[in-house]
Amino acid sequence: MARIESHPANCVDEARELLTGELENIAALAPLDEMPASHLAEILAGAELVFFRHGKIICHPDIPDSSPCLWLVRQGSVRALPFDNATADAISGQLLGIGALLPLESVLTGARPWHTYVAAEDSFLWAISGAVLQQMLLEPAVLRWIALRLQESNAG
């Protein structure tokens, strides 16, 4: 009986170790590198790790989200395909790797994404949504970084 009761504590310790490892991995990525570690830990604790097989659509302009979601590529890569006239153009798609945040173009406004995002290989992404996303968007470093990325994409 004592072994069963001690098992949940072991699970909590293992989860804490896993979360600490994840924090170390993503804390060096912009814009997360400018966030206080305690805020980053709260955001990661409230996020969900999701697996996408190669070719699976992550986000598409014609697939409405019930609530805005920001995806953080944890492992693998995602292809951002321009969405124009209801057709995705695979040739001119941009490859996004570990640390990429998407869809930046709609996370602040809730508007439709400008791209179709597809797993370019088997990938793990953190889904940041709801109150956790709102908390993240209150971070000045995150807002500054998103604004710069949007300026760059509009200039190019």
Side-chain angles (χ1 to χ4, degrees):
M1 196 75 149
R3 289 175 55 153
I4 294 172
E5 290 175 11
S6 67
H7 183 68
N10 290 341
C11 289
V12 170
D13 290 340
E14 289 174 14
R16 195 171 287 131
E17 277 184 43
L18 181 62
L19 183 59
T20 300
E22 280 300 300
L23 283 172
E24 290 172 4
N25 288 336
I26 67 169
L29 303 171
L32 308 175
D33 59 344
E34 295 184 40
M35 291 176 61
S38 61
H39 293 185
L40 187 55
E42 289 173 21
I43 288 166
L44 197 57
E48 178 184 0
L49 188 59
V50 182
F51 175 76
F52 290 93
R53 289 230 176 263
H54 174 260
K56 177 80 172 155
I57 294 174
I58 298 163
C59 184
H60 186 284
D62 286 340
I63 301 173
D65 285 333
S66 56
S67 64
C69 184
L70 183 66
W71 296 94
L72 168 64
V73 179
R74 190 249 181 247
Q75 181 179 334
S77 59
V78 173
R79 186 157 310 273
L81 305 170
F83 193 79
D84 188 37
N85 297 328
T87 305
D89 179 8
I91 295 171
S92 60
Q94 179 183 11
L95 194 62
L96 307 171
I98 295 171
L101 292 167
L102 54 112
L104 289 181
E105 66 269 19
S106 62
V107 73
L108 295 177
T109 64
R112 285 173 23 145
W114 302 337
H115 299 84
T116 297
Y117 295 93
V118 178
E121 60 184 305
D122 289 353
S123 302
F124 285 95
L125 285 78
W126 285 103
I128 305 167
S129 61
V132 177
L133 176 58
Q134 294 308 312
Q135 178 186 355
M136 186 174 177
L137 293 177
L138 290 175
E139 293 289 337
V142 172
L143 286 175
R144 202 171 31 255
W145 188 87
I146 290 173
L148 286 172
R149 297 296 85 71
L150 290 175
Q151 277 183 329
E152 289 171 2
S153 68
N154 287 335

